[in-house]
Amino acid sequence: MNPLRSLILAAGGNDSIRRAVATIPATRGLVERFVAGETVADAVTVVGDLVDNGRYVTLDYLGEDVRDPGQAERTVQTYLTLLDRLYDEGLAARAEVSVKLSAVGLCLDEKLALDNVWRICAAAEQCATTVTLDMEDHRTTDATLRALDELRHTWPWVGAVLQSSLNRTENDAVTLAVPDSRVRLCKGAYAEPREVAWRSRHQADLAYVRAANILLAGAGYPMFATHDPRLIDILGERIRWHGRKPGSYEYQMLYGVRPGEQARLTAEGELVRVYVPFGEQWYGYLMRRLAERPANLAFFLRALVSRS
Ligand code: FDA
């Protein structure tokens, strides 16, 4: 890994840097660019703006690897409040939620996590919206797909996520390319060991295209989560080749990343869903976004160094 990138990811655990980032105006601006705020009200305001601009949304209440049942319960309660607010504001038709199983108890007990995400799905159904299960590192893939399978007996609309960085993903794509199946395809955000993952980014990109082809040829609803201009071009060509019409698939991008491209695709009649993170646990998320992009990194470091 690039040493600068390792440094930034290591800074993700440092409290004084976190405090500085939240208070220095320049870095605060970066936080606001990538994170919708700390509260449900902040998040709903951002959703309203995005929806006014023709976007769809999926919301993530930040936090993962929760090891305290009380915290898992608070996460569930926040999702329930959020879903109510989306419904009350008339936004639920365009805004769904994304849930990490480790945020609702997977590290404590698989059954607890399933019960908790079950409650979120039941609330989403009441509010006429949907849930997607975010995918975490490869040690959780089987448990997440088991939960998905269980939930889909009751709610076929529960979305899955596949990561092209993992060797297993093409097989999983075949299994999931079935009617009604909503599948987000991303590259994968985790540093995975060689035994389970492609060795180079190039191989993972090729695997992305192969998995996209499987999903487009199948009967499900693919959701292409990437900012990669090359992949977006290839996807456009593959979508046409498979005769897919807008509305039978969607593009997804992160809040604050390539907003111009989000606008371009929307103007072309594509369905674009923005992944909007919010919550008090924004710091680790921000560090991951910065580590992905050298230009943001340089800006961030300059702002920190010139703080006085
Ligand atoms: P990559 O990071 O390789 O970037 C490729 C190119 O895209 C860059 O060279 C640049 O041109 C452009 N680009 C990227 N970032 C940019 C930026 N900030 N500004 C301008 N250009 C930029 N992961 C996971 O493991 N589990 C999950 O559940 C999810 N969920 C998810 C949802 C959504 C909606 C998205 C968009 C992503 C995820 N991810 C995820 C994260 C995903 O796996 C991946 O880590 C990031 O999206 C980065 O990968 P890219 O495909 O954007 O390509």
Side-chain angles (χ1 to χ4, degrees), residues 134-135 161 163 184 186-190 201 225-229 252-254 257-258 275 292-293 296:
D134 277 349
M135 191 59 87
V161 178
Q163 301 152 317
R184 177 193 301 159
C186 64
K187 290 190 186 182
Y190 300 86
R201 291 169 79 98
T226 182
H227 315 102
D228 190 330
Q252 298 191 343
M253 293 191 199
L254 301 178
V257 179
R258 302 201 71 205
Y275 185 103
E292 275 166 10
R293 184 86 182 137
N296 288 337

Side-chain angles (χ1 to χ4, degrees), residues 153-197:
H153 288 306
T154 306
W155 300 291
W157 43 254
V158 176
V161 178
L162 296 178
Q163 301 152 317
S164 72
S165 57
L166 296 185
N167 300 144
R168 60 179 286 167
T169 284
E170 283 162 73
N171 287 335
D172 290 333
V174 171
T175 308
L176 291 177
V178 294
D180 295 332
S181 173
R182 298 167 62 246
V183 183
R184 177 193 301 159
L185 180 63
C186 64
K187 290 190 186 182
Y190 300 86
E192 301 285 15
R194 284 172 159 235
E195 306 79 64
V196 298

